[in-house]
Amino acid sequence: MDQIPLSTQRTARWICRLLAVGLLAVVAATTVVVGCRTQNSTPFLPSSSSTPLKDPPGERREALGEAGGAVPKGVTVFDNTVPGVANLDPDLLKALRQAAADAANEKVEFYVNSGWRSPAYQNKLLREAVSQYGSEEAAARWVATPATSSHVSGDAVDIGRSNATAWLVEHGAEYGLCQIYRNEPWHYELRLEAIDRGCPRMYADPTQDPRMQQ
Ligand SMILES: [Zn+2]
């Protein structure tokens, strides 16, 4: 092995010391930066741990949730866990499931876009419709009040997709399932007399329905 000259050894030791000092400086600087960050973030901690205006209690929380009748995408009439389906009138649900079982033979599935709704959820939909259509009068063509809505009583269901409603136009009456409003091809209710006599004449829209006049 070659002998390393003394001067080179000294230089090497000097470089090492310089590196060590540099490293210390970096560590110190990092500590300061981290310290600053910790200090800066400290004042924000209480606000992030407290609950801000996200979830007001009472009506609104109920209205927005599945418990109030909101139905997640992809739910069929056979679902037993989603309240929007499970809380439908038992006779309506039975008719829907019989029809859906027969439609399945033709590869048609019955999805539920909306079913039973809590009064709070219905009210939320109404308020949204008023702001969308510009007035209560215009909104009434599409969304009923909580007091008059057949969704709130569990007697109405909004069915999708278009192949399902097309199937119902042809076969629904055999199960007592009828479209009620001409402007809502997805909205179905149970009319047991339809099994013998066919579905009653449709109303142009909900404002023509005497049940909505209350
Ligand atoms: Zn409807």
Side-chain angles (χ1 to χ4, degrees), residues 187-210:
H187 178 106
Y188 272 79
E189 298 184 25
L190 189 64
R191 296 288 182 272
L192 285 172
E193 67 274 16
I195 296 170
D196 294 326
R197 283 181 261 153
C199 285
R201 247 186 71 174
M202 286 180 222
Y203 300 111
D205 61 58
T207 61
Q208 308 297 309
D209 185 344

Side-chain angles (χ1 to χ4, degrees), residues 117-129:
R117 299 169 188 157
S118 72
Y121 182 46
Q122 182 69 30
N123 208 35
K124 176 184 174 274
L125 295 179
L126 182 58
R127 286 197 304 263
E128 283 172 0

Side-chain angles (χ1 to χ4, degrees), residues 35-46:
C36 288
R37 276 202 200 125
T38 310
Q39 267 184 355
N40 281 345
S41 61
T42 305
F44 299 108
L45 279 176

Side-chain angles (χ1 to χ4, degrees), residues 66 69-76 79 82 85 110-114 161:
E66 251 179 61
V71 178
K73 269 198 180 134
V75 168
T76 73
D79 193 286
V82 174
V85 178
F110 285 22
Y111 292 96
V112 176
N113 292 331
S114 193
R161 303 166 181 154

